Amino acid sequence: MDRRKVLGLGAAGVAVAGTGALAGRVIGGGAEPAAAAGAAAALPFHGEHQAGIITPAQDRLHFVAFDVITTKRDELIALLQAWTAAAARMTAGNDAGPVGAVGGAPEAPPDDTGEALGLPASGLTLTVGFGPTLFRDADGRDRFGLADRKPAALADLPKFPGDALRPEISGGDLCVQACANDPQVAVHAIRNLARIGFGKVSVRWSQLGFGRTASTTRDQVTPRNLMGFKDGTNNLKAEDTDLLPDHLWVRPGDGADWMAGGSYLVTRKIRMLIETWDRTSLAEQEAIIGRDKKAGAPLGRTGEHDEIDFESKGADGEPVLPKDAHVRLAHPSQNHNARLLRRGYNFVDGSDGLGRLDAGLFFMAYQRDPHKQFAVVQGQLAKHDTLNEYIRHVSSALFACPPGVTGPDDFWGRKLFA
Amino acid sequence: MPRSLALAVGAATLIGLAGCGDPKPAAGDGKIAVEATDTACKVAKTELPAGVSTFVITNKGSKVTEFYVYAGEAVKGEQENIAPGLSRELRVDLKAGAYEAACKPGQTGDGIRVKLTVTGEGKQDDAKVGAAVATYKAYVVKEAADLVPATRQFVDAVKAGDRDKAKALYAPSRLHYERIEPVAESFGDFDPAIDARENNVEAGKEWTGYHRLEKDLWGTADLASDAKLADQLLADVTALADKVKQVELSATDVANGAKELLDEVATTKITGEEDRYSHTDLWDFEGNVAGSKAVVDALRPVLTERDAALLGTLDDKFAAAGVELAKHKVGDGYKLHNQLSPAELKALSDAINALAEPISKVAAVVAR
């Protein structure tokens, strides 16, 4: 049942066009401003690629990694089918199950948990990925007959200097990324998928994110991370149609054909040592990042999107952009042209026992081959980046996100299990 | 005859189904497929027996559609906002008579109407449900009766000042109580008197029962002062055993009891809250799960007939939970809660979640 209609909020018309970026829902009475209607809209679930990658980054995130606890391949496939059906409903602004949060048998628990009743689709996207351990677990077991389908690109990431990874919030057999413009909608989606999964999967870890830290389209303003700097200026963007086939989407022949049209996701939970960063002088902060804090311009330039000047030297003979500046070390020109589509979110998990903000960046990046892209960039950063004094990588995960669900008869991962 | 089967017969009622995923709307299980397009409303079966009918509507058109069942002008059931490509279920309880189904592409107008004819008197299988309730009641009466001598041995050891023996008897004697806890709770005063934890006791009331003695046994209290508490506990369980003989249970009470027992496991045993001094939570875990299983066993003939797939899942998941619990078996008993690693507790929690989710669907099946 339509969530808004249940509460008498909805209107008659719903446009769910198969194409077009924003198949907008018509909201009753025209009372809501256009911008709000855009943020409230339902995005297409079906397509060549999964939604939630080049989709304009929404404001909120709930990300979850699961361990698969069933040992039955059929149960895992049935779960992916049930998840796909529920995701198609929820991304359209509907309840998770065919009956809904209310109106079912009074003796039965509702097949939707109800906290999204009355809320629009809110640009919800749900994106699924498969972790390395799905193919062969930590004990070397091939639980689901998938070991020979594991792509080389899904090999474990190398250890990087300074990693402080906590295994209990790293890795996972499956992941679901829920992004939406309303946090309650994102949480509702993950909660209902987790519920559908009881007995088949168990939540390993999850992360809430508020405030996107990257733009994935040119018309989005570059947001700021919790260090106060614009983040993601140089990101791969949806409009980079000449770059995406080389850097974002897996191609046939890349090693695992079931992944063609998919993308690899690296997540890193990066705790920021906020308090010490805040005591650092503006000049030093800017030198560490390599950008001006106000406009986001590369040092030595004036505009955010100006070309980075790697060469110019100041009066002291040193480069205007320091050799260990973050933007220099992370730039494609310094990393064999490795590019990433970053899609991270700020997080604050309350405070720690010492009263410090437990906060930072939940980094997420999509790419065609993490070993040629993320691992190259992070290898540089881990060794040379002065920013490391102010951050700790506490969680890491890698997932193969399959191509999109093409229609009602398709489901997440169908080709993997074919 | 169970009293609360309010939905079994009578008025046409929209009752809906709590299904989980429904990726394949093929109309198996006696479901009626409805193919809705922009110009047609194909209902696979239009002559229906009285009782609950489940329509599975699949929108194969390009417009958002709705599906209705009408008796004259009265709406007997509806599913709105079925987007292209999606499917929805609608369950309607219909008495014999003439009805119309309607698909409404574009969600406007009278829709495309299809005549439905309902005949017969509906399902009359209350006898099976009644027998299941009687079977379960017999189980409750027996467990309550067995609780009395088990508790007597325990309180005798307390009164004799034999701390080691009383500690050894504490967890096994409680098993009988844990198996039937929801029924005991339904009597109001008994559960607080027999099984309250310290933080559950109302201000101004005396803390009595098993957990009070548990605290004294595992602490350093002088057992000589516990004789009165011991006598009180025995008197309470004896009264309970008498009281349950008169209990009136409905089928949904019984089914919900199975779920409540697993809720107990999830909220107080996995966390170690229940037996915080003795750490014997896994004995109670076993008792709760066994009590839940007893419900399913009693309802087995009903579930076999009405939802064999659900029963199959329950049997699987009960077996899996048993395997998980058995990993911690030591002799006749179990490892202590504080000897379990976080990973072992999570595995137990996963097993209970796997079981509790399908168990929560039993009540609606029984109430049909």
Side-chain angles (χ1 to χ4, degrees), chain A residues 248-333:
Chain A
L248 182 63
W249 304 120
V250 176
R251 294 184 188 181
D254 274 0
D257 284 348
W258 63 267
M259 265 297 283
S263 191
Y264 292 93
L265 168 64
V266 172
T267 70
R268 306 279 287 187
K269 183 172 184 177
I270 304 172
R271 168 92 188 260
M272 291 174 177
L273 309 179
I274 298 267
E275 290 76 7
T276 50
W277 174 258
D278 292 345
R279 291 176 202 128
T280 304
S281 73
L282 179 61
E284 191 177 343
Q285 289 185 7
E286 291 183 336
I288 289 170
I289 300 294
R291 288 187 187 276
D292 143 69
K293 198 165 188 176
K294 184 179 180 192
L299 293 185
R301 301 287 188 174
T302 52
E304 181 195 340
H305 293 283
D306 290 354
E307 282 291 313
I308 293 176
D309 177 359
F310 294 101
E311 306 302 331
S312 295
K313 293 189 165 65
D316 57 359
E318 293 296 314
V320 173
L321 182 70
K323 285 203 166 106
D324 56 0
H326 182 76
V327 294
R328 178 192 287 271
L329 294 169
H331 195 269
S333 66

Side-chain angles (χ1 to χ4, degrees), chain B residues 40-56:
Chain B
C41 186
K42 285 187 215 157
V43 180
K45 193 175 159 198
T46 56
E47 310 227 323
L48 312 173
V52 175
S53 289
T54 303
F55 297 89
V56 182

Side-chain angles (χ1 to χ4, degrees), chain A residues 350-412:
Chain A
S351 304
D352 68 13
L354 300 173
R356 304 177 301 194
L357 270 189
D358 188 351
L361 168 65
F362 187 69
F363 171 95
M364 298 195 288
Y366 287 91
Q367 59 224 282
R368 187 175 156 201
D369 185 339
H371 294 274
K372 293 178 181 154
Q373 294 169 265
F374 173 78
V376 173
V377 178
Q378 182 56 23
Q380 278 268 26
L381 294 174
K383 273 184 239 154
H384 303 298
D385 196 353
T386 313
L387 195 56
N388 292 329
E389 289 180 27
Y390 302 96
I391 60 176
R392 295 284 179 273
H393 286 239
V394 295
S395 134
S396 177
L398 173 61
F399 299 99
C401 302
V405 175
T406 53
D409 295 328
D410 196 7
F411 64 90
W412 272 322

Side-chain angles (χ1 to χ4, degrees), chain B residues 5 10 18 27 53-54 127 181-182 219 247 291 293 304 359:
Chain B
L5 294 177
S53 289
T54 303
E181 195 166 359
V247 70
K293 177 80 165 36
T304 302
I359 276 265

Side-chain angles (χ1 to χ4, degrees), chain A residues 89 99 104-105 195 202-203, chain B residues 15 17 22 88 346 350 357:
Chain A
R89 293 174 201 289
V99 176
R195 182 174 173 218
S202 170
V203 172
Chain B
I15 54 186
L17 173 72
D22 59 329
R88 289 283 180 84
K346 180 146 189 270
D350 287 342
E357 202 56 41

Side-chain angles (χ1 to χ4, degrees), chain A residues 1-3 5-6 11-16 25 46 67 69-70 72 75 78 81-82 85-86 88-89 92-100 103-111 195-196 198-204 408-409, chain B residues 4 6-7 14-24 62 64 66 68 78-89 91 106-108 252 256 259 316-317 346 350-351 353-355 357-358 360-361 363-365 367-368:
Chain A
M1 195 170 288
D2 183 291
R3 299 191 303 237
K5 200 155 183 178
V6 165
V14 180
V16 186
R25 170 165 308 209
H46 296 116
D67 292 326
I69 56 173
T70 179
K72 296 178 187 143
E75 273 197 357
Q81 290 170 332
R89 293 174 201 289
N94 293 326
D95 287 337
V99 176
E107 297 85 358
D111 65 10
R195 182 174 173 218
I196 292 168
F198 278 135
K200 276 83 77 180
V201 292
S202 170
V203 172
R204 180 177 177 86
D409 295 328
Chain B
S4 76
L7 293 178
L14 165 65
I15 54 186
L17 173 72
C20 51
D22 59 329
K24 293 279 165 257
S62 64
V64 177
E66 297 176 344
Y68 287 79
E78 60 181 286
Q79 267 295 12
E80 297 173 329
N81 197 48
I82 307 166
L86 290 189
S87 63
R88 289 283 180 84
E89 286 192 11
R91 295 188 66 225
Q107 299 179 285
T108 55
T252 40
N256 282 324
K259 173 194 167 285
D316 267 10
K317 301 303 180 186
K346 180 146 189 270
D350 287 342
N353 282 335
L355 186 50
E357 202 56 41
S360 71
K361 299 191 165 83
V365 174
R368 253 181 227 172

